[in-house]
Amino acid sequence: MGKLKLVDLSHPFGQGNPLWPSNGDFHIDRVQHMPMHYRLLQTFNDFHMHNSTHADSPSHVIPEGAYTHELPLENYYGDAVIVSIPKKRWELITVEDLENATPEIREGDIVIINTGSHKYWGENDNYFMYSPGLSIEGAKWLVEKKIKGLGVDMQALDHPCYTYMIDHGPGPFVPRLIDEYTKEFGHPPIEDFPEWEPVHDILLRNNVMGFENVGGDIEMVTGKRCTISAFPLRWWKGDGSIVRMVAFIDEDDVVPGVTTREYKYGVY
C-alpha cells in the first residue's frame, strides 16, 4: 500500500475564465500591488459563483430550497467512484450507461462522470454548446440508487438543450443552437427536450449534491474508487459555490502514465 495522494479535480478560475453563455464576466482588481505598496491585495467584482468547478445548492432551482449555509458539510465529502462514460456531441447519458459503469455505482457514493468533455474546457462550442448530458431517466436512476452526489465534467448537470441556451425560461441565450439542432435532426430541440433543467430539479430536490465543470486531473482517477472532498465557501444564503474538488487515493491506485494537466490561462 502506497502513500495517500491528493488529486485535483478542479478547473482553475480567474481572469479570462471560460463563461457559461448567460454569465456575466467578473473582474479582479489589484487594489494594492508590489511596486507601490510592497504587497498584493486583490478584490473580486461582479463575481459569479456558477463558474469553473462548483456545487449547486437546492435554492438555485427550487423555490424555498436549502441555501449553501444550510447544507451539512457531509454533503460535500465521502466515498466516491469516478466512471468513464464517453459521449459525443449532444448525446445523452442513459440508465444503461450507468448500470454498466465500472466500478459499480453504490448507494451513498459521490459519482463523478468522465465523458471526455473536460478536455474541451474553454470558451468554445464543443464544451458549452455541443455538450452531452444526463438523461431524465438517468437522473431518476441515480436518485433511486441513493447516491450522495453527482459530478460531471460538462457545462452543467443538464444537457444544453434542457437549458435556456434554447427557448426555455428567459432563453434563448444561444439562438443559433436551435438552428443548428433543427438542421441536423429535422426538428427544433424543444421537441426532444421540452423540460427546463429537469436533471437539476430531480437531483437537488432529492438532496443529491450537484457538481459541475469537474476537470483538473480527472484522468488520473478515472475507473477508480476514492474519497472526495469538494467544500464550498461558507456563503450565507448562497445558491451554490465554487469548490476545490480533491480526490484522496492511494498512490498505487492512480492511473499510470497520466501527467498533471497544464492550463494555458490563469490569473495575471
Side-chain angles (χ1 to χ4, degrees):
M1 186 173 182
K3 297 179 181 178
L4 182 67
K5 183 176 179 61
L6 276 62
V7 179
D8 199 336
L9 305 186
S10 308
H11 290 301
F13 79 93
Q15 204 81 33
N17 188 91
L19 298 172
W20 207 81
S22 69
N23 290 5
D25 205 353
F26 64 90
H27 308 279
I28 302 172
D29 294 329
R30 289 174 292 174
V31 295
Q32 294 181 0
H33 49 92
M34 287 297 172
M36 181 178 291
H37 306 97
Y38 207 62
R39 63 180 300 193
L40 175 64
L41 180 63
Q42 302 176 80
T43 60
F44 292 82
N45 302 309
D46 303 320
F47 190 67
H48 199 301
M49 278 291 181
H50 296 266
N51 269 317
S52 191
T53 308
H54 66 275
D56 287 351
S57 299
S59 58
H60 180 49
V61 295
I62 300 168
E64 300 182 1
Y67 292 107
T68 303
H69 78 277
E70 296 175 312
L71 297 173
L73 288 176
E74 286 77 11
N75 282 25
Y76 301 89
Y77 175 87
D79 295 333
V81 61
I82 294 85
V83 297
S84 176
I85 303 179
K87 289 292 173 180
K88 298 177 183 177
R89 167 183 167 125
W90 286 330
E91 288 186 333
L92 285 169
I93 298 166
T94 66
V95 170
E96 183 179 9
D97 292 326
L98 298 170
E99 290 176 335
N100 293 332
T102 56
E104 179 186 5
I105 295 172
R106 302 173 184 168
E107 180 178 338
D109 276 343
I110 295 175
V111 179
I112 306 297
I113 297 178
N114 180 353
T115 67
S117 297
H118 66 94
K119 298 173 184 177
Y120 298 115
W121 169 247
E123 293 215 322
N124 59 74
D125 286 357
N126 280 333
Y127 189 78
F128 286 103
M129 260 57 81
Y130 303 149
S131 165
L134 183 62
S135 67
I136 291 175
E137 295 76 18
K140 291 178 179 177
W141 185 90
L142 291 169
V143 169
E144 292 171 1
K145 198 73 175 180
K146 298 181 180 178
I147 68 166
K148 176 182 282 191
L150 173 69
V152 295
D153 71 331
M154 302 174 289
Q155 50 83 32
L157 296 173
D158 274 287
H159 189 285
C161 291
Y162 276 136
T163 73
Y164 50 76
M165 288 194 208
I166 68 164
D167 40 0
H168 286 301
F173 272 85
V174 191
R176 64 183 173 84
L177 186 62
I178 300 175
D179 297 334
E180 290 182 29
Y181 190 98
T182 302
K183 183 178 180 180
E184 182 168 336
F185 295 100
H187 56 267
I190 197 73
E191 293 185 16
D192 294 330
F193 301 90
E195 296 88 351
W196 180 15
E197 296 195 344
V199 172
H200 276 80
D201 187 82
I202 292 166
L203 296 180
L204 299 181
R205 194 175 293 278
N206 287 281
N207 198 37
V208 176
M209 287 304 307
F211 302 99
E212 299 176 329
N213 300 318
V214 178
D217 295 319
I218 188 174
E219 296 292 341
M220 287 186 177
V221 291
T222 297
K224 304 293 182 178
R225 298 197 66 86
C226 60
T227 299
I228 276 188
S229 69
F231 293 119
L233 300 178
R234 197 172 185 177
W235 182 18
W236 180 259
K237 290 195 172 183
D239 60 285
S241 175
I242 283 180
V243 300
R244 186 70 177 266
M245 181 176 282
V246 177
F248 298 77
I249 189 170
D250 189 290
E251 64 178 1
D252 292 340
D253 290 335
V254 172
V255 177
V258 179
T259 58
T260 301
R261 180 170 183 172
E262 295 184 8
Y263 289 86
K264 296 180 180 179
Y265 61 90
V267 268
Y268 302 116

